[in-house]
Amino acid sequence: MRNIALFLTYVGTAYHGWQVQKRDVTIGQTMEEAAAAIVGHPVKMTGCGRTDAGVHARRYVANFHTTSTIPTDRLPYAMNTHLPEDIVVTGAMEVHDGFNAIGSCVRKEYTYLIYNSRIRDPFYVDRAWFYPRHLDETVMQRAADQFVGTHDFAAVRSVGTDVKSTVRTVYYYNVERRGDLIELKVCANGFLYNMARAMAGTVVYAAEGKIRPEEIGALLASGNRTAAGPTVPPGGLYMTQLWYEDGKVSFHVG
């Protein structure tokens, strides 16, 4: 039995996230069906994260076990013939039996895009959050800095997935403006349900003057979700980098 890691990129607008569901079309289901058609047996695909409905991935890793002898370098081409145009497998590698796309992942980076202009750009519909009032990126960066470190992030998550702990470590949270486009890049050892989107909403809250950046530390300590910013729309969120290390294999996808 071989364990195959797949590297893929996708636009998530048409899908209800990664996780296989009974009634909604998901990335995971679409990937499993494509893989099964190639290897000739049912496939259970493990993804590196449960991305929400409408969220995109510039980089994503999934793995599955198979008895197929198809050469690894042929798998991306074979998969892509069975996938829709908004999901593309860019690479594949054989990994050890214990490798797990989510369990072996030690860091993830998400990028949130805000289109900050008075006039909407149709090319960013479902690709960035249109926000017409000017946002001060220097204030946003001061707010983002408050999230860096090890904290209890219960105040910036939505109820929906049971976890043993809501403590996570954020390694960096960088805000950069490029013309009308603002990029929020956050890297952590794990993300709670809607955490990246709620953090982005809180950073925007600070730019709106609804909360001072220096108050975010106390907000996190309180665990009060209603005191933080809103969960911003999913179309602006992208998984952008992944780091793997499990003692037997180490690599970076980004």
Side-chain angles (χ1 to χ4, degrees):
M1 185 74 75
R2 301 161 70 204
N3 189 9
I4 305 296
L6 297 175
F7 306 96
L8 58 147
T9 182
Y10 61 80
V11 174
T13 306
Y15 303 92
H16 205 77
W18 170 270
Q19 201 75 3
V20 175
Q21 300 182 28
K22 292 182 178 179
R23 297 177 181 174
D24 297 305
V25 178
T26 67
I27 304 288
Q29 172 198 343
T30 306
M31 288 289 294
E32 288 183 353
E33 291 174 351
I38 294 165
V39 300
H41 61 76
V43 166
K44 170 61 179 173
M45 192 83 61
T46 299
C48 62
R50 295 182 56 161
T51 53
D52 302 334
V55 172
H56 317 296
R58 294 193 183 279
R59 303 289 185 272
Y60 196 91
V61 176
N63 75 287
F64 70 100
H65 289 81
T66 181
T67 55
S68 170
T69 58
I70 296 175
T72 306
D73 62 350
R74 297 302 305 167
L75 279 171
Y77 302 98
M79 287 287 294
N80 290 333
T81 63
H82 291 271
L83 288 169
E85 292 182 340
D86 48 8
I87 305 173
V88 176
V89 174
T90 59
M93 65 183 290
E94 189 164 345
V95 289
H96 66 89
D97 188 63
F99 176 88
N100 181 284
I102 189 166
S104 301
C105 186
V106 294
R107 295 189 183 193
K108 299 175 185 177
E109 180 195 79
Y110 280 98
T111 300
Y112 194 82
L113 300 183
I114 302 173
Y115 189 70
N116 188 212
S117 171
R118 293 179 62 187
I119 298 176
R120 187 187 305 273
D121 185 331
F123 291 99
Y124 282 114
V125 173
D126 294 325
R127 303 292 190 275
W129 180 29
F130 172 59
Y131 191 96
R133 295 187 298 278
H134 179 72
L135 292 170
D136 186 337
E137 63 272 20
T138 59
V139 175
M140 296 173 74
Q141 183 63 70
R142 283 169 48 209
D145 288 341
Q146 309 307 307
F147 288 108
V148 177
T150 301
H151 308 282
D152 186 331
F153 286 93
V156 284
R157 72 140 178 177
S158 298
V159 177
T161 304
D162 292 330
V163 292
K164 294 180 180 179
S165 172
T166 51
V167 175
R168 298 289 186 273
T169 298
V170 171
Y171 301 107
Y172 59 79
Y173 198 173
N174 300 328
V175 179
E176 182 179 357
R177 177 184 285 275
R178 297 180 181 178
D180 292 328
L181 200 65
I182 299 176
E183 292 185 348
L184 285 71
K185 290 184 178 292
V186 57
C187 175
N189 62 353
F191 288 84
L192 302 167
Y193 183 49
N194 282 343
M195 175 175 155
R197 290 163 59 194
M199 290 169 72
T202 304
V203 168
V204 170
Y205 244 29
E208 292 174 333
K210 295 179 179 177
I211 184 175
R212 291 189 299 112
E214 296 73 24
E215 295 174 335
I216 290 176
L219 184 156
L220 291 175
S222 74
N224 183 2
R225 178 67 188 93
T226 60
T231 301
V232 293
L237 187 62
Y238 300 73
M239 183 175 282
T240 45
Q241 293 194 73
L242 298 153
W243 289 261
Y244 281 86
E245 179 64 67
D246 67 2
K248 294 185 178 180
V249 62
S250 175
F251 59 87
H252 167 238
V253 185

